[in-house]
Amino acid sequence: MAERAALEELVRLQGEHVRELKLQKASAEQIEEEVSQLLKLKAQLGPDEGKHKFVLKTPKGTRDYNPRQMAVREKVFDTIISCFKRHGAEVIDTPVFELKDFDIAGQFDPMIPDAECLKIMCEILSSLQIGDFLVKVNDRRILDGMFAVCGVPDSKFRTICSSVDKLDKVPWEEVKNEMVGEKGLAPEVADRIGDYVQQHGGVSLVEQLLQDPKLSQNKQALEGLGDLKLLFEYLALFGIADKISFDLSLARGLDYYTGVIYEAVLLQTAAQAGEEPLGVGSVAAGGRYDGLVGMFDPKGRKVPCVGLSVGVERIFSIVEQRLEALEEKVRTTETQVLVASAQKKLLEERLKLVSELWDAGIKAELLYKKNPKLLNQLQYCEEAGIPLVAIIGEQELKDGVVKLRAVASREEVDVRREDLVKEIKRRTSQPPCIC
Amino acid sequence: MAERAALEELVRLQGEHVRELKLQKASAEQIEEEVSQLLKLKAQLGPDEGKHKFVLKTPKGTRDYNPRQMAVREKVFDTIISCFKRHGAEVIDTPVFELKDFDIAGQFDPMIPDAECLKIMCEILSSLQIGDFLVKVNDRRILDGMFAVCGVPDSKFRTICSSVDKLDKVPWEEVKNEMVGEKGLAPEVADRIGDYVQQHGGVSLVEQLLQDPKLSQNKQALEGLGDLKLLFEYLALFGIADKISFDLSLARGLDYYTGVIYEAVLLQTAAQAGEEPLGVGSVAAGGRYDGLVGMFDPKGRKVPCVGLSVGVERIFSIVEQRLEALEEKVRTTETQVLVASAQKKLLEERLKLVSELWDAGIKAELLYKKNPKLLNQLQYCEEAGIPLVAIIGEQELKDGVVKLRAVASREEVDVRREDLVKEIKRRTSQPPCIC
């Protein structure tokens, strides 16, 4: 086992080295030599069929946050990381600011990992409870095919793409003007593009375009549409088809992605904006791309990879803003109960009780005073957002009970000492919503 | 609330600024001006009586770890962080490589936070399950008083201290030789020191020294011993007195600490070393020190602080080493179950089932193949350490059951589909031990 781990580490380091050389634009011979070294190591490790693995990337530096910000960040990260783990993620490094989903040496069957990526996106956005969202889906091959059948010259593909990508922010007329006026596209070509890119919908739009007399003649577009049809089948099985919109104007990351692309956007509700639902921008994106040649495939072929990144900083800002708008109090500690006393000379008893609670896994505090006033202890709970107070006095000690006070309602009830842990756990078992 | 958070942030930044100026050895006038600014801000914020707060420090850079290392690190961090949270910690930044426990403006009563720090140390070391440990306790004032009554000249306090601190590694004779031969101490003075520093024990040793005719005449030593007596009372209430050893040779961090000091050491068992129990070095340390003048006190007085740091890197190495010695397999994912099928053409059914499990919060995977062989699916579980396989075939689908297989025992049992989530949770509810 230890040997295998060391070998895996060597493969990883050699992979990094090759990637670095490529970024530095090293000579082809040098790269080839290092790749062949990598393949030898990889061969020793043996095949890794079907195994999938997420890589969590580290931030480029560390920043300081105040306790309020940290509490929000922590909850956002926790939500995302537990979703990744639910899907078999391996953590390479932490904290996470970006996620990429590699499928190592994965000779996987079409669209299965792609569908899982979309499922992950939906799970994360649902559990963050930051409002309604939609995931736009398109395919690089459909875009390329569409431009070809509309008559866009090859040399103009990229610049026309960047015009199309603006359609989520500006009306079609403006996009068309840019294409024709600035970029010199023939107006009738622009109009043909317009007919396609203003369409969006579900699997029925995919089926309709599969019958489209022009598009269905293009091999690339046909492949892309066929894959999307399969993808929608899997999305229906995953129960998320209603969250996904096939959108022919989605055209981002095309320097990188080679197949299916997707992007999640938050929808502003009418109540929030006083108007029509409106996209408030991308919070997660991903797609299919070609892995580095030879990186993970023993035969040195290009390997298909599926990548997904979550805009954690963006999500964090959204949550912060909403909390500020709501003037919501964010707890910076997770303390469940304060151990307090109304009478003097009970420090020892408070220490004994708080220690019992710690040993039972309860998050508990006490004031570091010999004889604190009850009012100060209750005030501390209000300020720190501690929901419960466990109060002991001579009478409670004699009766073998603890007075448990709910800070918000001021209700008090005597709980038998041996039932205290269970009762505190019962009352604080609901994790608070983050916004 | 938002305003208070902003004000707290300003206080924090101004505090950092003052600290920075002190480190840069700025002029006294400049520091005074900035401190007065800090105090104004602090006054706006109002008193913060009794509140305690931990500060988790960030690492100076980020490193890459492989999945195996990350899995171990994550479990170590989780253990430590959940202990901090149990004690009301606020997280300032993450990940944690060091913990300092400030008590802000805490006019706290003697030894209460000190006792809590020792409790935290014991909780962390117990839950990490890295073997038997002992926490050595001493007091700066006892050391200073002891040197004075033994007749050590003031100018030699520090160098004699550093000799004493070696007593956990070398025998007394060697330490004495260093004091007398290298450092020019009179042999009879060294012998007097030797009589003290070779002693260690519990509260009875404290009581014995409180009666010591020489030491009890020294004001500083008397104060230190009185505090230790009180500390041991609290430690008994916390149920950890047997883990704590008053050790007169503990003499570290004296440039920094001003009162109680402590250090946790792991004990090597006879079985591990084939000999006497032997300390394997410090894994956590802390003590009482004077806070920066004016930092947190509205009157600009020195404020007592309690600090505690955990040697996370050290603990991590120990856990890694032991795991390697045991040739223990470390799981790098937390997947609870693989959804599998023995027959062909069941991809859709596998997708449906895995989606049900994800939605119920179960960590689940499936192979990204349309028709994977059952043997390959089982092999994948063995390699990845996945404990359960949920197998479906035509018969299971017809009967409304799922065949649940325990990978280790190869036992299989039919579980009704509606009970599957509960059964998987029941079987995987024990968190694995980290070593």
Side-chain angles (χ1 to χ4, degrees), chain B residues 149-168:
Chain B
V149 303
C150 290
V152 178
D154 281 10
S155 63
K156 284 199 161 64
F157 270 29
R158 183 181 298 221
T159 184
I160 295 304
C161 237
S162 85
S163 296
V164 164
D165 197 38
K166 293 177 184 165
L167 254 184
D168 58 341

mmCIF file with all atom_site columns, all heavy atoms in Angstrom, chain B residues 149-168:
data_model
loop_
_atom_site.group_PDB
_atom_site.id
_atom_site.type_symbol
_atom_site.label_atom_id
_atom_site.label_alt_id
_atom_site.label_comp_id
_atom_site.label_asym_id
_atom_site.label_entity_id
_atom_site.label_seq_id
_atom_site.pdbx_PDB_ins_code
_atom_site.Cartn_x
_atom_site.Cartn_y
_atom_site.Cartn_z
_atom_site.occupancy
_atom_site.B_iso_or_equiv
_atom_site.pdbx_formal_charge
_atom_site.auth_seq_id
_atom_site.auth_comp_id
_atom_site.auth_asym_id
_atom_site.auth_atom_id
_atom_site.pdbx_PDB_model_num
ATOM 1   N N   . VAL B 1 149 ? 16.349 31.572 45.163 1.00 0.00 ? 149 VAL B N   1
ATOM 2   C CA  . VAL B 1 149 ? 16.652 30.987 46.478 1.00 0.00 ? 149 VAL B CA  1
ATOM 3   C C   . VAL B 1 149 ? 17.831 30.009 46.435 1.00 0.00 ? 149 VAL B C   1
ATOM 4   O O   . VAL B 1 149 ? 18.482 29.765 47.443 1.00 0.00 ? 149 VAL B O   1
ATOM 5   C CB  . VAL B 1 149 ? 15.427 30.299 47.147 1.00 0.00 ? 149 VAL B CB  1
ATOM 6   C CG1 . VAL B 1 149 ? 14.272 31.285 47.296 1.00 0.00 ? 149 VAL B CG1 1
ATOM 7   C CG2 . VAL B 1 149 ? 15.008 29.047 46.399 1.00 0.00 ? 149 VAL B CG2 1
ATOM 8   N N   . CYS B 1 150 ? 18.136 29.489 45.239 1.00 0.00 ? 150 CYS B N   1
ATOM 9   C CA  . CYS B 1 150 ? 19.296 28.592 45.115 1.00 0.00 ? 150 CYS B CA  1
ATOM 10  C C   . CYS B 1 150 ? 20.605 29.388 45.004 1.00 0.00 ? 150 CYS B C   1
ATOM 11  O O   . CYS B 1 150 ? 21.688 28.817 45.105 1.00 0.00 ? 150 CYS B O   1
ATOM 12  C CB  . CYS B 1 150 ? 19.169 27.681 43.903 1.00 0.00 ? 150 CYS B CB  1
ATOM 13  S SG  . CYS B 1 150 ? 17.883 26.438 44.092 1.00 0.00 ? 150 CYS B SG  1
ATOM 14  N N   . GLY B 1 151 ? 20.479 30.685 44.758 1.00 0.00 ? 151 GLY B N   1
ATOM 15  C CA  . GLY B 1 151 ? 21.669 31.524 44.671 1.00 0.00 ? 151 GLY B CA  1
ATOM 16  C C   . GLY B 1 151 ? 22.227 31.697 43.266 1.00 0.00 ? 151 GLY B C   1
ATOM 17  O O   . GLY B 1 151 ? 23.421 31.951 43.085 1.00 0.00 ? 151 GLY B O   1
ATOM 18  N N   . VAL B 1 152 ? 21.379 31.564 42.226 1.00 0.00 ? 152 VAL B N   1
ATOM 19  C CA  . VAL B 1 152 ? 21.835 31.805 40.850 1.00 0.00 ? 152 VAL B CA  1
ATOM 20  C C   . VAL B 1 152 ? 21.845 33.322 40.621 1.00 0.00 ? 152 VAL B C   1
ATOM 21  O O   . VAL B 1 152 ? 20.852 33.996 40.910 1.00 0.00 ? 152 VAL B O   1
ATOM 22  C CB  . VAL B 1 152 ? 20.890 31.142 39.824 1.00 0.00 ? 152 VAL B CB  1
ATOM 23  C CG1 . VAL B 1 152 ? 21.345 31.426 38.398 1.00 0.00 ? 152 VAL B CG1 1
ATOM 24  C CG2 . VAL B 1 152 ? 20.776 29.650 40.080 1.00 0.00 ? 152 VAL B CG2 1
ATOM 25  N N   . PRO B 1 153 ? 22.965 33.882 40.139 1.00 0.00 ? 153 PRO B N   1
ATOM 26  C CA  . PRO B 1 153 ? 22.963 35.326 39.874 1.00 0.00 ? 153 PRO B CA  1
ATOM 27  C C   . PRO B 1 153 ? 21.955 35.667 38.766 1.00 0.00 ? 153 PRO B C   1
ATOM 28  O O   . PRO B 1 153 ? 21.800 34.888 37.824 1.00 0.00 ? 153 PRO B O   1
ATOM 29  C CB  . PRO B 1 153 ? 24.388 35.610 39.388 1.00 0.00 ? 153 PRO B CB  1
ATOM 30  C CG  . PRO B 1 153 ? 25.177 34.358 39.596 1.00 0.00 ? 153 PRO B CG  1
ATOM 31  C CD  . PRO B 1 153 ? 24.222 33.224 39.770 1.00 0.00 ? 153 PRO B CD  1
ATOM 32  N N   . ASP B 1 154 ? 21.291 36.833 38.897 1.00 0.00 ? 154 ASP B N   1
ATOM 33  C CA  . ASP B 1 154 ? 20.281 37.257 37.919 1.00 0.00 ? 154 ASP B CA  1
ATOM 34  C C   . ASP B 1 154 ? 20.762 37.087 36.481 1.00 0.00 ? 154 ASP B C   1
ATOM 35  O O   . ASP B 1 154 ? 20.023 36.627 35.613 1.00 0.00 ? 154 ASP B O   1
ATOM 36  C CB  . ASP B 1 154 ? 19.942 38.747 38.125 1.00 0.00 ? 154 ASP B CB  1
ATOM 37  C CG  . ASP B 1 154 ? 18.983 38.941 39.300 1.00 0.00 ? 154 ASP B CG  1
ATOM 38  O OD1 . ASP B 1 154 ? 18.763 37.953 40.038 1.00 0.00 ? 154 ASP B OD1 1
ATOM 39  O OD2 . ASP B 1 154 ? 18.461 40.057 39.468 1.00 0.00 ? 154 ASP B OD2 1
ATOM 40  N N   . SER B 1 155 ? 22.017 37.474 36.243 1.00 0.00 ? 155 SER B N   1
ATOM 41  C CA  . SER B 1 155 ? 22.554 37.479 34.878 1.00 0.00 ? 155 SER B CA  1
ATOM 42  C C   . SER B 1 155 ? 22.617 36.069 34.295 1.00 0.00 ? 155 SER B C   1
ATOM 43  O O   . SER B 1 155 ? 22.716 35.883 33.089 1.00 0.00 ? 155 SER B O   1
ATOM 44  C CB  . SER B 1 155 ? 23.948 38.100 34.878 1.00 0.00 ? 155 SER B CB  1
ATOM 45  O OG  . SER B 1 155 ? 24.806 37.285 35.678 1.00 0.00 ? 155 SER B OG  1
ATOM 46  N N   . LYS B 1 156 ? 22.589 35.037 35.161 1.00 0.00 ? 156 LYS B N   1
ATOM 47  C CA  . LYS B 1 156 ? 22.715 33.653 34.661 1.00 0.00 ? 156 LYS B CA  1
ATOM 48  C C   . LYS B 1 156 ? 21.368 32.929 34.566 1.00 0.00 ? 156 LYS B C   1
ATOM 49  O O   . LYS B 1 156 ? 21.310 31.778 34.135 1.00 0.00 ? 156 LYS B O   1
ATOM 50  C CB  . LYS B 1 156 ? 23.660 32.859 35.580 1.00 0.00 ? 156 LYS B CB  1
ATOM 51  C CG  . LYS B 1 156 ? 25.131 33.162 35.395 1.00 0.00 ? 156 LYS B CG  1
ATOM 52  C CD  . LYS B 1 156 ? 25.986 32.032 35.980 1.00 0.00 ? 156 LYS B CD  1
ATOM 53  C CE  . LYS B 1 156 ? 27.407 31.991 35.471 1.00 0.00 ? 156 LYS B CE  1
ATOM 54  N NZ  . LYS B 1 156 ? 28.240 33.141 35.794 1.00 0.00 ? 156 LYS B NZ  1
ATOM 55  N N   . PHE B 1 157 ? 20.253 33.595 34.967 1.00 0.00 ? 157 PHE B N   1
ATOM 56  C CA  . PHE B 1 157 ? 18.921 32.953 34.955 1.00 0.00 ? 157 PHE B CA  1
ATOM 57  C C   . PHE B 1 157 ? 18.626 32.275 33.621 1.00 0.00 ? 157 PHE B C   1
ATOM 58  O O   . PHE B 1 157 ? 18.265 31.107 33.545 1.00 0.00 ? 157 PHE B O   1
ATOM 59  C CB  . PHE B 1 157 ? 17.825 33.993 35.237 1.00 0.00 ? 157 PHE B CB  1
ATOM 60  C CG  . PHE B 1 157 ? 17.488 34.159 36.693 1.00 0.00 ? 157 PHE B CG  1
ATOM 61  C CD1 . PHE B 1 157 ? 18.434 33.922 37.693 1.00 0.00 ? 157 PHE B CD1 1
ATOM 62  C CD2 . PHE B 1 157 ? 16.216 34.565 37.086 1.00 0.00 ? 157 PHE B CD2 1
ATOM 63  C CE1 . PHE B 1 157 ? 18.117 34.092 39.036 1.00 0.00 ? 157 PHE B CE1 1
ATOM 64  C CE2 . PHE B 1 157 ? 15.881 34.742 38.422 1.00 0.00 ? 157 PHE B CE2 1
ATOM 65  C CZ  . PHE B 1 157 ? 16.843 34.503 39.400 1.00 0.00 ? 157 PHE B CZ  1
ATOM 66  N N   . ARG B 1 158 ? 18.799 33.041 32.543 1.00 0.00 ? 158 ARG B N   1
ATOM 67  C CA  . ARG B 1 158 ? 18.378 32.524 31.256 1.00 0.00 ? 158 ARG B CA  1
ATOM 68  C C   . ARG B 1 158 ? 19.214 31.324 30.792 1.00 0.00 ? 158 ARG B C   1
ATOM 69  O O   . ARG B 1 158 ? 18.667 30.317 30.351 1.00 0.00 ? 158 ARG B O   1
ATOM 70  C CB  . ARG B 1 158 ? 18.432 33.628 30.203 1.00 0.00 ? 158 ARG B CB  1
ATOM 71  C CG  . ARG B 1 158 ? 17.935 33.144 28.847 1.00 0.00 ? 158 ARG B CG  1
ATOM 72  C CD  . ARG B 1 158 ? 18.023 34.216 27.812 1.00 0.00 ? 158 ARG B CD  1
ATOM 73  N NE  . ARG B 1 158 ? 17.157 35.342 28.188 1.00 0.00 ? 158 ARG B NE  1
ATOM 74  C CZ  . ARG B 1 158 ? 16.403 36.012 27.323 1.00 0.00 ? 158 ARG B CZ  1
ATOM 75  N NH1 . ARG B 1 158 ? 16.427 35.680 26.050 1.00 0.00 ? 158 ARG B NH1 1
ATOM 76  N NH2 . ARG B 1 158 ? 15.665 37.004 27.717 1.00 0.00 ? 158 ARG B NH2 1
ATOM 77  N N   . THR B 1 159 ? 20.530 31.436 30.945 1.00 0.00 ? 159 THR B N   1
ATOM 78  C CA  . THR B 1 159 ? 21.386 30.339 30.461 1.00 0.00 ? 159 THR B CA  1
ATOM 79  C C   . THR B 1 159 ? 21.207 29.078 31.317 1.00 0.00 ? 159 THR B C   1
ATOM 80  O O   . THR B 1 159 ? 21.222 27.957 30.800 1.00 0.00 ? 159 THR B O   1
ATOM 81  C CB  . THR B 1 159 ? 22.869 30.790 30.372 1.00 0.00 ? 159 THR B CB  1
ATOM 82  O OG1 . THR B 1 159 ? 23.627 29.729 29.828 1.00 0.00 ? 159 THR B OG1 1
ATOM 83  C CG2 . THR B 1 159 ? 23.444 31.159 31.738 1.00 0.00 ? 159 THR B CG2 1
ATOM 84  N N   . ILE B 1 160 ? 20.972 29.266 32.632 1.00 0.00 ? 160 ILE B N   1
ATOM 85  C CA  . ILE B 1 160 ? 20.752 28.108 33.512 1.00 0.00 ? 160 ILE B CA  1
ATOM 86  C C   . ILE B 1 160 ? 19.399 27.452 33.185 1.00 0.00 ? 160 ILE B C   1
ATOM 87  O O   . ILE B 1 160 ? 19.260 26.227 33.163 1.00 0.00 ? 160 ILE B O   1
ATOM 88  C CB  . ILE B 1 160 ? 20.839 28.525 34.999 1.00 0.00 ? 160 ILE B CB  1
ATOM 89  C CG1 . ILE B 1 160 ? 22.274 28.986 35.336 1.00 0.00 ? 160 ILE B CG1 1
ATOM 90  C CG2 . ILE B 1 160 ? 20.429 27.378 35.920 1.00 0.00 ? 160 ILE B CG2 1
ATOM 91  C CD1 . ILE B 1 160 ? 23.360 27.968 35.027 1.00 0.00 ? 160 ILE B CD1 1
ATOM 92  N N   . CYS B 1 161 ? 18.442 28.304 32.873 1.00 0.00 ? 161 CYS B N   1
ATOM 93  C CA  . CYS B 1 161 ? 17.130 27.822 32.411 1.00 0.00 ? 161 CYS B CA  1
ATOM 94  C C   . CYS B 1 161 ? 17.276 26.868 31.224 1.00 0.00 ? 161 CYS B C   1
ATOM 95  O O   . CYS B 1 161 ? 16.668 25.806 31.180 1.00 0.00 ? 161 CYS B O   1
ATOM 96  C CB  . CYS B 1 161 ? 16.289 29.009 31.961 1.00 0.00 ? 161 CYS B CB  1
ATOM 97  S SG  . CYS B 1 161 ? 14.737 29.117 32.831 1.00 0.00 ? 161 CYS B SG  1
ATOM 98  N N   . SER B 1 162 ? 18.087 27.275 30.254 1.00 0.00 ? 162 SER B N   1
ATOM 99  C CA  . SER B 1 162 ? 18.194 26.456 29.043 1.00 0.00 ? 162 SER B CA  1
ATOM 100 C C   . SER B 1 162 ? 18.885 25.134 29.353 1.00 0.00 ? 162 SER B C   1
ATOM 101 O O   . SER B 1 162 ? 18.628 24.127 28.703 1.00 0.00 ? 162 SER B O   1
ATOM 102 C CB  . SER B 1 162 ? 18.874 27.232 27.909 1.00 0.00 ? 162 SER B CB  1
ATOM 103 O OG  . SER B 1 162 ? 20.262 27.124 28.023 1.00 0.00 ? 162 SER B OG  1
ATOM 104 N N   . SER B 1 163 ? 19.766 25.119 30.379 1.00 0.00 ? 163 SER B N   1
ATOM 105 C CA  . SER B 1 163 ? 20.349 23.835 30.811 1.00 0.00 ? 163 SER B CA  1
ATOM 106 C C   . SER B 1 163 ? 19.274 22.951 31.431 1.00 0.00 ? 163 SER B C   1
ATOM 107 O O   . SER B 1 163 ? 19.164 21.762 31.118 1.00 0.00 ? 163 SER B O   1
ATOM 108 C CB  . SER B 1 163 ? 21.464 24.065 31.846 1.00 0.00 ? 163 SER B CB  1
ATOM 109 O OG  . SER B 1 163 ? 22.530 24.777 31.269 1.00 0.00 ? 163 SER B OG  1
ATOM 110 N N   . VAL B 1 164 ? 18.485 23.537 32.327 1.00 0.00 ? 164 VAL B N   1
ATOM 111 C CA  . VAL B 1 164 ? 17.420 22.785 33.012 1.00 0.00 ? 164 VAL B CA  1
ATOM 112 C C   . VAL B 1 164 ? 16.468 22.150 32.005 1.00 0.00 ? 164 VAL B C   1
ATOM 113 O O   . VAL B 1 164 ? 16.038 21.001 32.153 1.00 0.00 ? 164 VAL B O   1
ATOM 114 C CB  . VAL B 1 164 ? 16.646 23.722 33.973 1.00 0.00 ? 164 VAL B CB  1
ATOM 115 C CG1 . VAL B 1 164 ? 15.321 23.089 34.396 1.00 0.00 ? 164 VAL B CG1 1
ATOM 116 C CG2 . VAL B 1 164 ? 17.492 24.042 35.201 1.00 0.00 ? 164 VAL B CG2 1
ATOM 117 N N   . ASP B 1 165 ? 16.177 22.888 30.952 1.00 0.00 ? 165 ASP B N   1
ATOM 118 C CA  . ASP B 1 165 ? 15.216 22.423 29.949 1.00 0.00 ? 165 ASP B CA  1
ATOM 119 C C   . ASP B 1 165 ? 15.677 21.152 29.232 1.00 0.00 ? 165 ASP B C   1
ATOM 120 O O   . ASP B 1 165 ? 14.882 20.464 28.596 1.00 0.00 ? 165 ASP B O   1
ATOM 121 C CB  . ASP B 1 165 ? 14.954 23.551 28.946 1.00 0.00 ? 165 ASP B CB  1
ATOM 122 C CG  . ASP B 1 165 ? 13.691 23.292 28.138 1.00 0.00 ? 165 ASP B CG  1
ATOM 123 O OD1 . ASP B 1 165 ? 12.719 22.775 28.728 1.00 0.00 ? 165 ASP B OD1 1
ATOM 124 O OD2 . ASP B 1 165 ? 13.685 23.567 26.924 1.00 0.00 ? 165 ASP B OD2 1
ATOM 125 N N   . LYS B 1 166 ? 16.995 20.831 29.360 1.00 0.00 ? 166 LYS B N   1
ATOM 126 C CA  . LYS B 1 166 ? 17.510 19.625 28.694 1.00 0.00 ? 166 LYS B CA  1
ATOM 127 C C   . LYS B 1 166 ? 17.256 18.350 29.487 1.00 0.00 ? 166 LYS B C   1
ATOM 128 O O   . LYS B 1 166 ? 17.516 17.246 29.001 1.00 0.00 ? 166 LYS B O   1
ATOM 129 C CB  . LYS B 1 166 ? 19.017 19.775 28.448 1.00 0.00 ? 166 LYS B CB  1
ATOM 130 C CG  . LYS B 1 166 ? 19.344 20.860 27.434 1.00 0.00 ? 166 LYS B CG  1
ATOM 131 C CD  . LYS B 1 166 ? 20.846 21.040 27.264 1.00 0.00 ? 166 LYS B CD  1
ATOM 132 C CE  . LYS B 1 166 ? 21.110 22.209 26.300 1.00 0.00 ? 166 LYS B CE  1
ATOM 133 N NZ  . LYS B 1 166 ? 22.521 22.659 26.366 1.00 0.00 ? 166 LYS B NZ  1
ATOM 134 N N   . LEU B 1 167 ? 16.770 18.526 30.719 1.00 0.00 ? 167 LEU B N   1
ATOM 135 C CA  . LEU B 1 167 ? 16.619 17.367 31.617 1.00 0.00 ? 167 LEU B CA  1
ATOM 136 C C   . LEU B 1 167 ? 15.689 16.278 31.079 1.00 0.00 ? 167 LEU B C   1
ATOM 137 O O   . LEU B 1 167 ? 15.750 15.143 31.527 1.00 0.00 ? 167 LEU B O   1
ATOM 138 C CB  . LEU B 1 167 ? 16.102 17.818 32.984 1.00 0.00 ? 167 LEU B CB  1
ATOM 139 C CG  . LEU B 1 167 ? 17.115 17.820 34.130 1.00 0.00 ? 167 LEU B CG  1
ATOM 140 C CD1 . LEU B 1 167 ? 16.436 18.191 35.425 1.00 0.00 ? 167 LEU B CD1 1
ATOM 141 C CD2 . LEU B 1 167 ? 17.799 16.469 34.258 1.00 0.00 ? 167 LEU B CD2 1
ATOM 142 N N   . ASP B 1 168 ? 14.812 16.600 30.128 1.00 0.00 ? 168 ASP B N   1
ATOM 143 C CA  . ASP B 1 168 ? 13.953 15.534 29.597 1.00 0.00 ? 168 ASP B CA  1
ATOM 144 C C   . ASP B 1 168 ? 14.702 14.652 28.608 1.00 0.00 ? 168 ASP B C   1
ATOM 145 O O   . ASP B 1 168 ? 14.205 13.621 28.197 1.00 0.00 ? 168 ASP B O   1
ATOM 146 C CB  . ASP B 1 168 ? 12.673 16.118 28.964 1.00 0.00 ? 168 ASP B CB  1
ATOM 147 C CG  . ASP B 1 168 ? 12.981 17.093 27.843 1.00 0.00 ? 168 ASP B CG  1
ATOM 148 O OD1 . ASP B 1 168 ? 14.134 17.597 27.786 1.00 0.00 ? 168 ASP B OD1 1
ATOM 149 O OD2 . ASP B 1 168 ? 12.095 17.358 27.017 1.00 0.00 ? 168 ASP B OD2 1
#
